[in-house]
């Protein structure tokens, strides 16, 4: 089968299903896995699809953003594994920044009993932080409806009052070329500022965020340690050449 014909079949299947497994494409085109991988690489370069673990999906709009409720139902077990590992990095006496987000939210129960101080811009985090007897400071600023994050000039001014041992940041996209991204430029600025004020910065992102980029850049890949739940072998060299990557499988 000619390359153009395979590409047409791949894109038609994606248009129909939005997400297609590698094996489905192998069977639909009667081609080898290596051939389909090359096709997906080429089509991704042409921005016609996005490669994901075990297949491909249609690209998302750069400014598309899910609500907290929508995010909280996706990749729950992966987020919990990442969060538990991230919380294990927090030591007694640390002052940490906890970014708004569903994965950082899952860290909170694992922080109980540690003599730490948390600064956060996540309104959704407050009740659980207090339930777990964690000393908490909340940033000021504009409350964003979709993510329940405090952003804007007030948040940035509040941040300047602190410095952190560690910060834990969420991202909508993690890409080996474009770095860490999020749909909202104001939220990106708050995340970047927190990273700059921390001795060590961590980005928590499950595998669905990898090879994805959204509208506003937070930081380059090397500016934070990436914690994720899986990283395909074909991408390991690309990511690990630019930053430290912690893959939490259990």
């Amino acid at each position: 089968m000619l390359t153009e014909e395979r590409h047409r079949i791949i894109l038609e299947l994606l248009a129909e299903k939005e997400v297609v497994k590698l094996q489905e494409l192998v069977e639909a085109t009667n081609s080898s896995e290596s051939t389909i991988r090359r096709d997906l690489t080429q089509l991704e370069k042409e921005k016609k699809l996005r490669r994901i673990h075990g297949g491909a999906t249609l690209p998302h709009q750069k400014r598309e953003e899910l609500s907290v409720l929508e995010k909280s139902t996706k990749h729950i077990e992966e987020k919990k594994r990442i969060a538990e590992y991230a919380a294990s990095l927090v030591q007694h006496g640390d002052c940490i920044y906890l970014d708004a987000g569903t994965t950082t939210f899952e860290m909170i129960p694992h922080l109980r009993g540690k003599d730490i101080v948390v600064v956060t811009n996540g309104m959704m985090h407050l009740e659980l932080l207090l339930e777990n007897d964690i000393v908490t400071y909340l940033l000021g600023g504009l409350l964003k409806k979709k993510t329940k994050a405090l952003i804007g000039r007030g948040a940035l001014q509040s941040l300047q009052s602190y410095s952190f041992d560690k910060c834990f940041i969420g991202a909508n996209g993690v890409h080996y070329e474009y770095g860490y991204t999020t749909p909202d430029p104001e939220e990106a600025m708050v995340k970047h500022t927190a990273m700059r004020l921390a001795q060590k910065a961590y980005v928590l992102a499950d595998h669905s965020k990898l090879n994805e980029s959204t509208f506003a850049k937070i930081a380059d890949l090397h500016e934070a340690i990436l914690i994720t739940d899986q990283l395909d072998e074909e991408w390991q060299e690309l990511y690990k050449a630019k930053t430290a990557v912690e893959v939490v499988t259990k």
Side-chain angles (χ1 to χ4, degrees), residues 9-22:
I9 292 171
I10 290 168
L11 294 173
E12 283 180 356
L13 280 170
L14 275 171
E16 180 186 335
K17 304 177 72 173
E18 290 194 13
V19 177
V20 182
K21 298 288 187 183
L22 184 66

Side-chain angles (χ1 to χ4, degrees), residues 142-161:
L142 171 70
L143 180 60
K144 186 175 171 183
K145 184 176 180 180
K146 260 198 168 180
T147 61
K148 304 297 187 291
L150 288 154
I151 59 171
R153 182 164 57 181
L156 292 171
Q157 287 174 341
S158 297
L159 265 176
Q160 300 300 331
S161 302

Side-chain angles (χ1 to χ4, degrees), residues 9 13 15 37 43 49 59 71 77-78 82 85 87 101 108 121 128 137 143 153 161 173 192 204 206 214 221 228 232:
I9 292 171
L13 280 170
R37 287 183 193 278
L43 289 167
L49 55 76
K71 288 178 182 177
E77 292 307 314
E78 292 91 336
I82 292 167
Y85 175 79
I108 297 170
N121 72 327
L128 194 57
Y137 289 84
L143 180 60
R153 182 164 57 181
S161 302
H192 178 75
L204 281 52
D206 66 75
T214 57
L221 212 59
T228 188
D232 282 5

Side-chain angles (χ1 to χ4, degrees), residues 65 100 144 147 149 151 182 184-192:
E65 186 164 26
K144 186 175 171 183
T147 61
I151 59 171
T182 195
D184 185 336
E186 287 199 74
E187 199 158 356
M189 195 173 293
V190 173
K191 292 172 189 283
H192 178 75

Side-chain angles (χ1 to χ4, degrees), residues 105 113 164 227:
F105 178 85
F164 310 108
I227 306 177

Side-chain angles (χ1 to χ4, degrees), residues 62-111:
K62 295 295 183 183
R63 293 187 64 202
E64 180 183 3
E65 186 164 26
L66 300 178
S67 68
V68 171
L69 184 60
E70 290 168 322
K71 288 178 182 177
S72 66
T73 62
K74 294 178 179 292
H75 307 288
I76 297 168
E77 292 307 314
E78 292 91 336
K79 289 176 180 178
K80 286 183 175 180
R81 288 204 304 272
I82 292 167
E84 184 175 1
Y85 175 79
S88 75
L89 302 173
V90 179
Q91 300 173 323
H92 291 284
D94 275 351
C95 299
I96 70 169
Y97 179 79
L98 209 57
D99 187 33
T102 51
T103 308
T104 51
F105 178 85
E106 295 292 345
M107 288 178 63
I108 297 170
H110 302 289
L111 298 173

